[in-house]
Amino acid sequence: MSINKKLLGLTAAGMLTAAMSGQTLAHGDVTPQNVDIAGLAPLGEEWLDENPYNADYENRDLAVKIGTSAYTQNCARCHGLDAISGGIAPDLRYLEPGIEGDEWYKYRVVNGAVRDGRVYMPKMAEHLSQEALWAIRAYLETRATDE
């Protein structure tokens, strides 16, 4: 699976900003917010490998609307408003499109990220439904850029 280098690293400016402002790069105590998934196709307990709410999904507009709200409530604090990172967490606009990006996204929301004992991203699948998390991915696809 290919991962865009912009997605993986923190920018030097972002690290410097964090250090100077006294922020830590580890994820703090954040209570995930519930997501109303009414109207989305139910997905069950077994995680799918590919986003079912992709561009071919019949109710894509609803998935994006739900994903936008869910992202704002649960992800923007670290990944930035409108998915534009300020350098603290990966800029999710650079996720690979299609199944390649879906695989990375699924891995990260299911497993989280821990470095040196610090939680950089919680295991969001422990807090939000598969429907809510794939709706967030649908939203992120609308924010994608290759700049």
Side-chain angles (χ1 to χ4, degrees):
M1 144 179 48
S2 132
I3 304 291
N4 187 311
K5 288 182 183 179
K6 289 182 181 179
L7 180 65
L8 291 177
L10 297 172
T11 65
M15 289 189 291
L16 181 60
T17 301
M20 292 176 67
S21 67
Q23 295 175 334
T24 63
L25 296 178
H27 195 281
D29 291 330
V30 176
T31 303
Q33 300 299 304
N34 290 329
V35 177
D36 180 1
I37 57 169
L40 293 178
L43 304 177
E45 296 296 317
E46 187 73 25
W47 262 87
L48 303 175
D49 291 328
E50 190 170 357
N51 187 0
Y53 307 136
N54 62 25
D56 296 330
Y57 179 60
E58 65 186 37
N59 211 350
R60 170 76 170 187
D61 290 343
L62 177 63
V64 170
K65 180 179 177 183
I66 290 170
T68 302
S69 175
Y71 176 90
T72 302
Q73 295 175 53
N74 293 289
C75 311
R77 179 176 185 183
C78 296
H79 292 281
L81 292 174
D82 295 322
I84 302 170
S85 177
I88 301 301
D91 191 316
L92 298 177
R93 296 173 302 152
Y94 296 106
L95 275 172
E96 295 287 330
I99 187 70
E100 293 83 12
D102 289 351
E103 288 172 346
W104 185 88
Y105 179 82
K106 173 189 170 185
Y107 179 84
R108 188 57 69 213
V109 298
V110 169
N111 297 295
V114 176
R115 282 184 234 128
D116 299 325
R118 292 184 177 138
V119 176
Y120 280 71
M121 179 169 162
K123 297 176 181 180
M124 293 305 292
E126 292 180 355
H127 307 287
L128 300 177
S129 70
Q130 178 174 198
E131 292 85 354
L133 289 165
W134 282 125
I136 291 171
R137 171 71 170 142
Y139 160 69
L140 291 171
E141 289 172 340
T142 70
R143 303 292 304 143
T145 185
D146 59 2
E147 295 176 1

